[in-house]
Every structure is written in C-alpha cells, then in structure tokens.
Amino acid sequence: MQDHDHDDGGSAVPEARTPAQIEADIVRRREQLAETLDEIGVRLHPKTIVGDAKAKVASTVDHTVGRAVVAVNRIVTDIRDGLRHDDGTPRPERIVPVALLAVGVVGLLVASTRRKR
C-alpha cells in the first residue's frame, strides 16, 4: 500500500528526495549542530564569562569616570568663571578666600600625614 499525496487546492506536493540528498542534509545539519555546540561551549566557558564580566565592569567604570570628568570640568569652569570679571580680569575679593581655603586644606592634609607616621 502506497501513500499518495493529494492536491488539496494549491498545496505543493513535496518532491521525493534521494538517499544522497538525505545523507547530505544529515551531514549539513550535523555540522550546524557541532558549530552551535562549539559556540555554546565558548560562551559558557568560565574564561569567557569572566572576560565578559570584566568588559562590562570596565565599560561601566569608563562611563562613570567619563561622567565624573564632565562634572569636574563643569565645576572647574564655574569656579574659574566666578574668579574673573566678565572682561576676564581677576576678582581679588573671590580669589583670596579660595586661595586661603586651598592653603588650609593642604595644611590639614600635611598635618594628618605627619601624625600618622
């Protein structure tokens, strides 16, 4: 008893495949499966996972450092602009307190490092 494919209004009748075509298809699929398994093995390898994690952390740090640099640049620009008149000349009434504050901070840092020794 033979199965017959019936045309049910436009559906395509599959062509009969030769044993060589079936074998070639099996070989091709086996190769694809081997490639997929190799890729999964690489992705799940501990070194790959650690490397990916390191890259993600480095990217996050780079992004954070970049944002910090932009913020510091903005602050420095604002301070610099505050220490000058619109025409660019220095404003001694603002420079002197900032300089005294800087000297005080440096003095505290030096004193604290000497105490630790």
Side-chain angles (χ1 to χ4, degrees):
M1 194 169 176
Q2 242 182 346
D3 282 341
H4 293 284
D5 289 323
H6 297 285
D7 189 15
D8 58 356
S11 65
V13 177
E15 292 182 24
R17 294 173 38 185
T18 66
Q21 289 171 325
I22 294 170
E23 186 175 335
D25 189 40
I26 290 170
V27 168
R28 182 180 53 79
R29 288 178 188 235
R30 188 176 292 144
E31 288 171 355
Q32 288 174 340
L33 180 60
E35 287 175 17
T36 301
L37 290 174
D38 288 345
E39 186 176 326
I40 290 170
V42 168
R43 286 184 184 179
L44 295 179
H45 193 279
K47 286 184 180 180
T48 303
I49 293 170
V50 169
D52 290 348
K54 283 182 181 179
K56 188 172 185 174
V57 167
S59 173
T60 301
V61 167
D62 286 347
H63 181 72
T64 302
V65 168
R67 288 176 46 200
V69 167
V70 168
V72 168
N73 281 337
R74 187 177 312 127
I75 291 167
V76 168
T77 300
D78 290 346
I79 291 171
R80 187 179 59 225
D81 290 346
L83 297 176
R84 296 181 184 172
H85 291 287
D86 290 338
D87 63 1
T89 58
R91 297 177 77 162
E93 71 276 6
R94 290 191 180 174
I95 292 175
V96 171
V98 170
L100 290 174
L101 179 65
V103 168
V105 168
V106 169
L108 288 173
L109 290 174
V110 169
S112 72
T113 57
R114 285 187 180 170
R115 264 190 257 155
K116 290 181 183 177
R117 291 182 189 178

